[in-house]
Amino acid sequence: MIRLRRLRKNDKIRDMLNENRIYLSDFIYPLFVIEGYNIKNEIKSMPDVYQMSIDNILRECENLQNLGVSHIILFGIPDIKDSIGSSALSQDSIVARAVRAIKERFGDMIISVDLCFCEYTDHGHCGILDSNNYVDNDKTLEILAKQAVILAASGADIIAPSAMMDGQIKAIRNILDSNNFVNTLIMSYSTKFASAFYGPFRDVADSTPSFGDRKTYQQNPANRNEAIRESLIDESEGADILMVKPVLSYLDIVRDIRENSLLPLAVYNVSGEYAMLKAAALAGLIDYERTLLEMMVSFKRAGADIIISYHTKEIANLI
Ligand code: PBG
């Protein structure tokens, strides 16, 4: 008889035959940087996630260094918003200053920056609006390119465009190359669904659209072929790393893209996924640590190389 149970006989054998593992170096930890000094605002829907001013971000980076976490992704919460997100287009934007401050003190920290306008526009959409209140794709490409150069110049290692404009990877690669930032990577939010799982993030990042939704630029959760095409187009435009976001309800898409591309693949374990697990733990409904680790390894098994997660510090303590 073929007995698979032979292979599960004891810990050592199971360990030898383990096909997927998570490593701390797989993880990227999101941080939200806000104007001001000595600010640390907790967000109700996301326990242990804070908006922090640059001084507190630096303290947090020291913590992360001690935990062995060496890769962060930054989101900015500016003081001033307007219709075209001008505060993101200056060398002194909140994220540009945060990147310079972190690089000065923690030179080894790998810094990704989210490249979008939803946090910087007063209407909360991801770019410039046209007269019909649709996001104007090509005008938005110009300001995305500008923001990318500013962030690369401030020392960001990886630019992570999340605006879902067509042609954004090509536009950003071209402008980075022509400004001599040939070694700045692009991690594209290449397959990004119009998802309800972003709810808590929009509280933290203060980026809820003031009208409408993001369905005209983010993808339909029902579409599999389109999801693959989105990532393949970004690969052809020059993305260095692809991404699927959210991840928990989209592990099939992670596998599809894994099998259609040889690029490194990231997944974004988003705010709603984090909030649900935390809520279940607080209510005493699940074994939190085991559930968490099971989720993380499922991302790797589906085909992810990189995991962006608010759980990163907990993972550092667990593995
Ligand atoms: C856009 C952006 C969003 C997230 C990351 N980048 C929000 C959105 O598209 O509405 C969501 C991340 C999360 O939910 O954790 N700048």
Side-chain angles (χ1 to χ4, degrees):
M1 206 202 307
I2 296 173
R3 284 186 185 273
L4 286 179
R5 287 185 55 186
R6 274 199 286 270
L7 303 174
R8 301 170 195 152
K9 225 162 95 181
N10 63 40
D11 285 353
K12 290 230 164 64
I13 291 178
R14 283 198 300 277
D15 207 29
M16 175 178 76
L17 300 175
N18 190 354
E19 296 178 39
N20 289 287
R21 286 190 171 79
I22 53 168
Y23 301 95
L24 194 49
S25 55
D26 301 330
F27 284 81
I28 304 179
Y29 187 56
L31 288 176
F32 298 89
V33 50
I34 193 167
E35 293 284 358
Y37 184 75
N38 199 19
I39 293 177
K40 191 169 176 181
N41 303 328
E42 185 163 22
I43 306 302
K44 203 169 136 255
S45 50
M46 294 185 72
D48 302 324
V49 174
Y50 302 87
Q51 301 172 329
M52 284 181 271
S53 49
I54 291 178
D55 53 316
N56 279 328
I57 290 278
L58 291 174
R59 263 175 221 120
E60 181 69 350
C61 286
E62 194 165 347
N63 272 337
L64 292 171
Q65 203 176 40
N66 294 335
L67 284 168
V69 175
S70 56
H71 192 163
I72 57 174
I73 181 164
L74 292 179
F75 296 88
I77 306 148
D79 263 354
I80 300 164
K81 304 189 185 217
D82 61 19
S83 64
I84 60 160
S86 333
S87 60
L89 299 174
S90 140
Q91 296 288 346
D92 289 323
S93 79
I94 179 72
V95 174
R97 274 182 288 132
V99 173
R100 289 195 294 270
I102 296 167
K103 280 286 175 186
E104 197 177 302
R105 285 223 7 226
F106 305 95
D108 288 343
M109 187 66 89
I110 307 286
I111 306 180
S112 288
V113 286
D114 183 79
L115 187 75
C116 195
F117 279 90
C118 62
E119 296 123 53
Y120 302 92
T121 52
D122 48 16
H123 46 72
H125 280 284
C126 299
I128 295 177
L129 299 181
D130 66 17
S131 52
N132 298 314
N133 273 348
Y134 282 125
V135 175
D136 184 322
N137 192 87
D138 296 7
K139 276 196 189 138
T140 301
L141 290 184
E142 289 171 28
I143 56 171
L144 283 169
K146 252 193 214 164
Q147 194 189 159
V149 170
I150 287 167
L151 295 172
S154 64
D157 300 283
I158 302 179
I159 306 290
S162 66
M164 290 299 284
M165 295 301 120
D166 288 327
Q168 63 181 9
I169 302 306
K170 187 165 179 227
I172 292 164
R173 187 70 268 162
N174 284 344
I175 198 155
L176 289 176
D177 286 352
S178 58
N179 283 276
N180 267 325
F181 296 114
V182 292
N183 290 321
T184 305
L185 283 84
I186 298 178
M187 173 167 67
S188 175
Y189 286 70
S190 51
T191 294
K192 177 173 174 182
F193 293 94
S195 172
F197 285 99
Y198 308 149
F201 172 95
R202 292 180 186 172
D203 295 340
V204 191
D206 188 19
S207 65
T208 309
S210 60
F211 63 88
D213 52 42
R214 304 208 206 288
K215 287 181 190 155
T216 59
Y217 40 105
Q218 300 183 351
Q219 286 167 246
N220 180 348
N223 292 357
R224 181 176 181 184
N225 292 333
E226 189 189 12
I228 302 171
R229 281 183 73 205
E230 278 281 5
S231 273
L232 293 185
I233 289 170
D234 285 8
E235 169 165 7
S236 73
E237 289 184 16
D240 299 290
I241 301 171
L242 300 177
M243 192 196 299
V244 175
K245 174 182 169 214
V247 57
L248 266 186
S249 291
Y250 298 92
L251 291 175
D252 54 332
I253 305 295
V254 177
R255 173 50 47 187
D256 284 334
I257 293 172
R258 173 73 296 146
E259 286 174 2
N260 280 282
S261 170
L262 297 175
L263 291 191
L265 180 57
V267 291
Y268 201 134
N269 173 216
V270 301
S271 56
E273 299 168 348
Y274 176 84
M276 287 194 309
L277 195 61
K278 282 282 183 196
L282 274 175
L285 299 176
I286 51 162
D287 179 335
Y288 179 74
E289 291 180 359
R290 285 188 57 206
T291 313
L292 172 60
L293 292 173
E294 191 173 324
M295 275 184 191
M296 298 297 137
V297 85
S298 76
F299 305 158
K300 296 291 294 276
R301 190 195 63 235
D305 303 295
I306 300 165
I307 301 169
I308 304 171
S309 179
Y310 306 99
H311 295 291
T312 298
K313 289 200 290 179
E314 297 168 328
I315 297 291
N317 286 317
L318 283 173
I319 63 175

